Amino acid sequence: MQVTKTVEATRSLVKQWKREGKTIGLVPTMGFLHEGHASLIRKCREENDIVVVSDFVNPTQFGPNEDLEAYPRDFERDCALCEKMGADLIFNPQPEEMYQDPCAYVSIHTLSDTLCGKTRPIHFKGVCTVVSKLFHIAAPDKAYFGQKDAQQLAIIRKMVRDLNFDVEIVGCPIVREADGLAKSSRNTYLNDEERKAALCLSRAVKRGQEVIRTGCESEAVLKEMRAVIEAEPLARVDYVSVVDALTMQPVERVEKDVLVAMAVYIGVIIGCIAQYTVMPLAA
Amino acid sequence: MQVTKTVEATRSLVKQWKREGKTIGLVPTMGFLHEGHASLIRKCREENDIVVVSDFVNPTQFGPNEDLEAYPRDFERDCALCEKMGADLIFNPQPEEMYQDPCAYVSIHTLSDTLCGKTRPIHFKGVCTVVSKLFHIAAPDKAYFGQKDAQQLAIIRKMVRDLNFDVEIVGCPIVREADGLAKSSRNTYLNDEERKAALCLSRAVKRGQEVIRTGCESEAVLKEMRAVIEAEPLARVDYVSVVDALTMQPVERVEKDVLVAMAVYIGVIIGCIAQYTVMPLAA
């Protein structure tokens, strides 16, 4: 496995692989890799000749009061995991390598104005910009993103269509701890008490799945889910919402292709833990 | 020479050429081709295995009161010119092929706020977005733009750097009519009287070149140039400005890498004729 720190070195490797006719898969990450990332890398390994993992805490997707400095980092452990998972390259640039007096950016309206976009107004502009840059640098045939960040995934899919990126976006299922908490680098912020409190999220998901059915009112589902979370004193709901899975706009009734999304603060953690959940309708 | 109307057909040809190891040059145009475009295609022909010309009047770069409907079109004549110049492909999509409920876009700050950006606030966002799309569709090694639209050229160069597009941008000199007027598709808007009046632009450039010298005050040059244009009753100055050639910000003194840019309305034409001029300093 190789490690690159510069755009040029990465591009040079990618061009060589392309010349050899190899297909390239990209797993964009902010590092501090966990089993969720591992599942993306595994899927990528299965579907491509070359697996590139980018490992970069992107400053432009953090707001001024968010957790850029506190965001957990452990590059050595990331390297070990990537090596074990059979990655061919980790691209690990410093912010100065990625941003030099930046003026141009990629953004998206409508899909970025709702849900997490309300409390994090610049977040998805940062995400779209860095993902565009990574696509231009690594020139992947396929790129892998977790369904946990469902709004991000919907935005990237729409961005790819709107801007004609020649990349296939692959969404991968949420990976959970044994007790139900979705794996997330930010779980490391939680102390023991908060870690227990955070289980209200997966309990709310479970409760939602019990009551949800095609053709029911969204409010019926949301009421039950909110009740579960509000029973937990350390939890503060940012939002729980039933939205169209493509446009991220709220819908009043649960029909085909809806997404139930939520973001909940646990304790006094900096930033927001977004625990999105795609809810497949009962068959 | 082939003609494509869809993204998919274009991409399919491009991929075949790439597989054959061929280099691709792109000349993005809005059609109604003239000698200026021909010079871009000629340069592109010299430097690449494959020459792709895009011929698309991009609606998103026109403001609500601009000349989208009136913009001249003659696709048959464009085809004949491209064929003659040795192009391999004209990509000529309809707006519906390029934009389907678009949400994502590419934009740029600072460089787009000055000069033409002041009177055309959405123009460069439209340009950045469509050029990004064309880069993703045609995957060029090199792309060719005229120096006449100097602010556009500076913006595209900066966009390519900031977003890590793997494309080399080639700027090509202004091509002028025998009497000095820069070739432009919009010259067709001018009646005989306005056509004569428009010569105040190249006269102003000539006057500017006479007085310009390294280390002089910008105002000294601008005063002379404005006087030439203001002597013409049918001309109305939008701006004449000395700016840094990279940042497009006004500079007080003429030093290395400045650009003298102007936009002037002639008669009652719809929209603005931007007659940018790069002024090389006297050797």
Side-chain angles (χ1 to χ4, degrees):
Chain A
M1 189 184 73
Q2 301 190 62
V3 177
T4 51
K5 299 283 182 182
T6 68
V7 171
E8 199 184 332
T10 309
R11 188 165 269 162
S12 164
L13 285 169
V14 165
K15 286 196 171 179
Q16 182 55 38
W17 286 321
K18 292 256 168 189
R19 270 194 300 270
E20 294 165 5
K22 290 178 173 161
T23 60
I24 292 176
L26 172 69
V27 183
T29 82
M30 297 217 298
F32 208 73
L33 305 180
H34 51 65
E35 267 303 307
H37 300 106
S39 76
L40 302 177
I41 300 172
R42 191 175 300 118
K43 180 90 170 157
C44 183
R45 180 69 284 166
E46 288 166 15
E47 298 185 345
N48 302 273
D49 297 327
I50 296 291
V51 172
V52 178
V53 178
S54 63
D55 186 308
F56 176 57
V57 181
N58 174 38
T60 69
Q61 71 192 66
F62 288 79
N65 298 314
E66 292 179 10
D67 58 339
L68 174 58
E69 294 308 317
Y71 197 86
R73 292 155 168 93
D74 190 339
F75 185 60
E76 277 189 34
R77 212 188 61 181
D78 291 349
C79 282
L81 180 78
C82 287
E83 178 101 55
K84 187 183 138 205
M85 301 300 301
D88 298 283
L89 171 66
I90 302 191
F91 174 45
N92 175 237
Q94 291 300 300
E96 312 80 70
E97 174 69 10
M98 290 294 273
Y99 297 106
Q100 290 137 18
D101 181 31
C103 296
Y105 58 91
V106 183
S107 195
I108 191 163
H109 59 68
T110 315
L111 284 83
S112 65
D113 304 335
T114 59
L115 308 179
C116 277
K118 277 192 184 164
T119 45
R120 309 187 73 188
I122 65 153
H123 176 64
F124 291 114
K125 175 182 164 186
V127 169
C128 286
T129 301
V130 78
V131 169
S132 293
K133 287 166 66 72
L134 292 169
F135 285 177
H136 292 154
I137 294 164
D141 298 283
K142 296 186 178 188
Y144 298 78
F145 296 87
Q147 287 171 351
K148 176 168 71 70
D149 302 314
Q151 187 176 12
Q152 170 178 282
L153 179 57
I155 282 173
I156 287 167
R157 286 190 194 283
K158 180 68 172 144
M159 178 187 86
V160 163
R161 278 197 304 276
D162 284 356
L163 299 182
N164 305 105
F165 278 99
D166 191 16
V167 182
E168 182 186 332
I169 302 302
V170 181
C172 299
I174 295 174
V175 177
R176 295 181 181 277
E177 305 282 356
D179 63 5
L181 183 66
K183 301 249 185 189
S184 164
S185 305
R186 285 185 168 112
N187 289 349
T188 190
Y189 295 152
L190 303 170
N191 65 27
D192 289 354
E193 199 186 357
E194 290 161 348
R195 175 67 185 72
K196 271 180 220 159
L199 291 177
C200 70
L201 293 166
S202 44
R203 279 203 305 274
V205 168
K206 206 176 161 205
R207 182 73 193 122
Q209 283 172 328
E210 285 164 8
V211 299
I212 207 165
R213 60 181 195 279
T214 305
C216 77
E217 296 298 311
S218 300
E219 190 50 36
V221 182
L222 296 178
K223 190 181 160 195
E224 295 287 328
M225 292 178 68
R226 274 196 300 259
V228 173
I229 298 164
E230 283 162 6
E232 173 50 62
L234 288 175
R236 180 168 61 79
V237 172
D238 181 13
Y239 62 81
V240 189
S241 188
V242 179
V243 296
D244 181 288
L246 285 178
T247 65
M248 298 290 119
Q249 299 306 303
V251 294
E252 294 206 351
R253 290 178 62 78
V254 174
E255 304 280 356
K256 208 165 167 288
D257 293 333
V258 302
L259 168 76
V260 183
M262 60 178 166
V264 176
Y265 294 90
I266 304 292
V268 290
I269 61 154
I270 310 157
C272 106
I273 292 193
Q275 300 264 350
Y276 290 109
T277 304
V278 179
M279 278 198 181
L281 295 173
Chain B
M1 189 185 71
Q2 301 190 62
V3 178
T4 51
K5 300 282 182 182
T6 68
V7 171
E8 198 185 332
T10 308
R11 188 164 270 161
S12 164
L13 285 169
V14 164
K15 286 195 171 180
Q16 182 56 38
W17 286 320
K18 292 256 168 190
R19 270 195 298 272
E20 294 166 4
K22 289 177 173 162
T23 60
I24 293 176
L26 173 69
V27 183
T29 82
M30 297 216 300
F32 209 71
L33 305 180
H34 51 66
E35 267 302 308
H37 300 106
S39 75
L40 302 178
I41 301 172
R42 191 176 301 117
K43 179 89 170 157
C44 183
R45 181 70 284 167
E46 287 166 14
E47 298 186 344
N48 301 274
D49 297 328
I50 296 291
V51 172
V52 178
V53 178
S54 64
D55 186 310
F56 176 58
V57 181
N58 174 38
T60 69
Q61 70 193 67
F62 289 79
N65 297 315
E66 292 179 10
D67 57 338
L68 174 59
E69 293 308 317
Y71 197 87
R73 291 157 169 92
D74 190 339
F75 185 61
E76 276 189 35
R77 212 189 59 179
D78 292 348
C79 282
L81 179 77
C82 287
E83 178 102 55
K84 186 182 138 207
M85 301 300 301
D88 298 283
L89 171 65
I90 303 192
F91 174 44
N92 175 237
Q94 291 299 302
E96 312 80 71
E97 174 69 10
M98 290 293 273
Y99 298 105
Q100 289 138 20
D101 181 28
C103 296
Y105 58 91
V106 184
S107 194
I108 191 162
H109 59 69
T110 316
L111 283 80
S112 65
D113 304 333
T114 58
L115 308 178
C116 278
K118 277 192 185 165
T119 45
R120 309 187 73 188
I122 66 152
H123 177 63
F124 290 114
K125 175 182 163 185
V127 169
C128 286
T129 302
V130 78
V131 170
S132 294
K133 288 166 67 71
L134 292 169
F135 284 177
H136 292 155
I137 295 164
D141 298 282
K142 297 185 178 190
Y144 298 77
F145 295 86
Q147 288 171 350
K148 175 167 72 68
D149 302 314
Q151 187 176 14
Q152 170 178 282
L153 179 57
I155 283 173
I156 287 168
R157 285 190 194 284
K158 179 69 173 144
M159 177 187 86
V160 164
R161 275 197 306 275
D162 284 356
L163 299 182
N164 305 104
F165 278 100
D166 192 16
V167 183
E168 181 185 332
I169 302 302
V170 182
C172 299
I174 295 175
V175 177
R176 295 180 180 278
E177 304 281 357
D179 62 5
L181 183 67
K183 302 250 185 188
S184 165
S185 305
R186 286 186 168 110
N187 288 349
T188 189
Y189 295 151
L190 303 170
N191 65 27
D192 289 352
E193 199 185 357
E194 291 161 346
R195 175 66 185 72
K196 269 181 222 159
L199 290 177
C200 69
L201 293 166
S202 44
R203 278 203 305 274
V205 169
K206 205 175 161 203
R207 182 72 193 120
Q209 283 171 328
E210 285 163 7
V211 298
I212 208 166
R213 61 182 193 280
T214 305
C216 77
E217 296 297 311
S218 299
E219 189 50 38
V221 181
L222 296 177
K223 190 181 160 193
E224 294 288 328
M225 292 178 68
R226 274 196 299 261
V228 173
I229 299 164
E230 283 161 7
E232 173 52 61
L234 286 175
R236 180 169 62 79
V237 172
D238 180 12
Y239 63 80
V240 189
S241 188
V242 179
V243 296
D244 180 288
L246 285 178
T247 66
M248 297 289 121
Q249 298 307 303
V251 292
E252 294 207 350
R253 291 179 61 78
V254 174
E255 305 279 354
K256 209 164 168 286
D257 294 333
V258 302
L259 168 78
V260 184
M262 61 178 165
V264 177
Y265 294 91
I266 304 291
V268 291
I269 62 155
I270 310 156
C272 106
I273 292 193
Q275 300 262 349
Y276 291 108
T277 303
V278 179
M279 279 197 180
L281 295 173

